[in-house]
Amino acid sequence: MSTNFTAEQTALLEIINLSVTSLSVLSLIFVMYCYRYIPALHTFPMKLIMSLVVSEFFFSTANLLSFMRSNPYFCFVEGYLRASSSLSAALWISIFIWVSYRQITNFNKNISSIYPKALFLNLSIALLPSSIAAYVEFTTGNIYFGNDLEFCSIIPAHYEMLFVEGPVLVVIIIVFYYVFKIIWFLKEIFKDQTVLEYSSLTNYAFIFAILWMIPVIDRIIYFFNGTPIFPLVVTHIILSRAVGVIITIIFYKTKRIKIREFWSGAKEQDPSIKDPNTSQ
C-alpha cells in the first residue's frame, strides 16, 4: 500500500496532528488534575472515566511520537502504544456501556468491586496484539510496526484490521445498540442522581463511537483500495486526535458544579488562588 501524499499534504497532516494532539494532551491533564485534587469526583463512574483518560493519554503520546517515525525505534514505540491504547480505549468504552446498562436496569451498589477484574481484562487484551507483533518483529519479521497513513501501526495492514480496527468497529456497533436501549429504558424509570451518574457513562461511549466511525471507515477504504483518500485522512486525524478534547468537554459539562465548589473552597482557604473558570 502507498500513501502517495505530496510534501504539502504531509506537512498539513503533521500540523493538524501536532495542534489537535497537543490540545488533547492539555485537556486530559486538566481532567487528571481535577480527579487528583477534588475528592467529590472520587466515584466509581469517574474511576472508569479516568481509565479511559489514561488510555487516551497514551494514544496522544503515540501521536506525538509520529514526528520521529523515521527512527525505527520510535516507530516501534509509537506503533506499540497506538495499537494498545486504541484497543484499551475501545475496551473501556465497552465496559462503560455494560456498567451503565447494568446499573440502570438492575442497580448493584457493589458494582465497583469489578474494577480490578476489568482492569486486568483490559490490559491483558489490549497489550496482546502489540506484544505478538513485537515478538514476531524481533523473530521472523513477518509482522512489524511501520509507517502507514503517515503514522506507525501494525504491518501488514490486515493484522491491524483484525486486531485493532475490527474490535473498535464491533464496539461502535455495540455502543449504538445499547445507547438506544438505555435511552428507551430511562424514559420508563425514575432518574435519581445515582442512576444519572451511571447513565452519564453512556455519553462518553456514544461520543467515542461517533468520533471513531470516520477513522475506522478510512482504514477500511484504505485497506481495500490500497490508496488513501486525502480529505478522509484529514478528517480521520482530526477526529481521532480530538477524543481527549471531547472527553474533557463532557467531563466539565457534567462535573462543573463540583469543580466550582472545589475552587470556591480552595479560595476561602487561600485567597491568592485563582479560579480557572473565572474570566480574567
Side-chain angles (χ1 to χ4, degrees):
M1 293 184 178
S2 175
T3 57
N4 294 321
F5 292 144
T6 66
E8 291 78 9
Q9 289 174 328
T10 300
L12 176 61
L13 293 177
E14 290 179 347
I15 291 171
I16 294 173
N17 180 41
L18 177 61
S19 57
V20 182
T21 299
S22 298
L23 190 57
S24 272
V25 169
L26 294 175
S27 300
L28 293 170
I29 289 174
F30 169 74
V31 178
M32 289 187 280
Y33 175 86
C34 289
Y35 183 77
R36 171 66 177 81
Y37 290 103
I38 304 179
L41 296 179
H42 296 173
T43 63
F44 181 58
M46 268 306 303
K47 192 173 187 178
L48 293 177
I49 292 167
M50 286 306 303
S51 301
L52 175 64
V53 166
V54 171
S55 295
E56 285 300 324
F57 187 83
F58 279 110
F59 181 74
S60 294
T61 301
N63 293 329
L64 293 177
L65 286 173
S66 67
F67 292 95
M68 296 175 280
R69 63 179 176 272
S70 58
N71 184 309
Y73 171 76
F74 286 111
C75 187
F76 173 87
V77 175
E78 177 197 345
Y80 191 98
L81 284 178
R82 183 182 304 283
S84 299
S85 58
S86 296
L87 192 53
S88 176
L91 290 169
W92 282 122
I93 288 298
S94 64
I95 293 171
F96 277 23
I97 205 70
W98 178 81
V99 169
S100 180
Y101 185 75
R102 170 71 183 273
Q103 292 300 88
I104 291 170
T105 58
N106 185 22
F107 187 81
N108 177 7
K109 65 179 182 179
N110 298 318
I111 190 72
S112 60
S113 63
I114 71 164
Y115 186 79
K117 294 179 181 179
L119 179 61
F120 177 78
L121 182 66
N122 186 291
L123 292 176
S124 299
I125 297 176
L127 294 175
L128 185 59
S130 293
S131 299
I132 292 175
Y135 174 78
V136 176
E137 177 170 351
F138 288 110
T139 53
T140 66
N142 293 331
I143 304 176
Y144 61 96
F145 294 103
N147 185 15
D148 194 24
L149 281 179
E150 300 306 319
F151 46 84
C152 294
S153 57
I154 300 174
I155 296 177
H158 58 267
Y159 288 108
E160 177 80 12
M161 290 293 299
L162 177 64
F163 293 134
V164 181
E165 305 302 333
V168 170
L169 179 59
V170 171
V171 168
I172 290 173
I173 295 171
I174 291 173
V175 166
F176 283 133
Y177 174 74
Y178 275 99
V179 162
F180 287 113
K181 289 193 68 173
I182 289 171
I183 291 173
W184 181 263
F185 193 85
L186 283 175
K187 294 179 180 179
E188 307 298 326
I189 67 172
F190 174 74
K191 298 182 282 293
D192 62 29
Q193 193 59 41
T194 304
V195 170
L196 285 175
E197 185 173 13
Y198 279 99
S199 67
S200 69
L201 292 174
T202 308
N203 297 332
Y204 292 89
F206 184 69
I207 294 300
F208 179 95
I210 293 292
L211 291 176
W212 276 90
M213 280 182 65
I214 295 299
V216 169
I217 291 172
D218 180 38
R219 295 290 299 187
I220 292 173
I221 291 176
Y222 177 53
F223 176 75
F224 285 106
N225 284 353
T227 55
I229 300 173
F230 184 71
L232 195 58
V233 175
V234 171
T235 308
H236 170 171
I237 290 180
I238 292 174
L239 294 181
S240 62
R241 275 56 171 174
V243 171
V245 177
I246 302 302
I247 286 175
T248 305
I249 292 173
I250 300 174
F251 164 77
Y252 184 77
K253 182 178 179 181
T254 56
K255 305 298 181 182
R256 63 184 180 276
I257 294 177
K258 292 182 178 180
I259 294 173
R260 289 172 179 172
E261 288 175 349
F262 168 78
W263 282 107
S264 297
K267 286 180 69 178
E268 289 178 1
Q269 297 179 8
D270 186 354
S272 65
I273 296 177
K274 295 181 178 181
D275 187 346
N277 300 301
T278 304
S279 58
Q280 301 299 317

